Amino acid sequence: KNEVEQSPQNLTAQEGEFITINCSYSVGISALHWLQQHPGGGIVSLFMLSSGKKKHGRLIATINIQEKHSSLHITASHPRDSAVYICAATNTDKLIFGTGTRLQVFP
Amino acid sequence: EPEVTQTPSHQVTQMGQEVILRCVPISNHLYFYWYRQILGQKVEFLVSFYNNEISEKSEIFDDQFSVERPDGSNFTLKIRSTKLEDSAMYFCASSEQGSRDEKLFFGSGTQLSVL
């Protein structure tokens, strides 16, 4: 069983739609990371959170420690948001990555 | 904005050859990492490095792998005798406080192809 699971695997949306990507983990963690991977392969960290909620621009990340669940929301989605979004859990100093959610936003 | 730089961006090598992948982390960062991603698979942890020593390593990081911070700015990953299955994108990352406390900064990766 994967320690970090994401859903959906693939997601398509029209520009302007509200997007939600889910992440569940089976291990005890000290932090949960959300990252973005562009088609060229580069990885950008979006959020690190250990409780509650964080917001940056149109992106919002939430975590529920008791339910071992996190969500990434994108408001007013735009074609430039098209990428793979990955959650990764950590309780030591290594990240355990999920398999990613491929998001495509069409104009 | 400071960034993690990796060289080369692409490396092609013959099976059995040694390769060194190079990384320059952000200058005030203290925690350094190597991750890899085999084509079509998820990103996997290789090793973390802090205070001039390995702090954690995965099962992938066997005796064929080593890391070094030779001069206070570079952070290298050496694969002594490459195998076909070492073909992957290798990412270096760094942070000031470690991944339990803050985001990591990733380099753009080195695509390693072992023929």
Side-chain angles (χ1 to χ4, degrees), chain A residues 33 37 45 48 92-93 95, chain B residues 33 35 37 56 99-100 104:
Chain A
H33 293 245
Q37 187 168 32
S45 287
M48 190 285 295
T92 58
D93 200 22
L95 296 184
Chain B
Y33 310 85
Y35 287 84
Q37 186 176 32
E56 191 168 357
S99 61
R100 283 175 288 188
L104 298 189

Side-chain angles (χ1 to χ4, degrees), chain A residues 2-6 22-26 67-70 87:
Chain A
N2 289 326
E3 294 173 290
V4 179
E5 294 192 343
Q6 291 185 234
N22 296 299
C23 175
S24 298
Y25 50 92
S26 58
E67 295 187 2
K68 295 187 175 179
H69 182 269
S70 177
C87 68

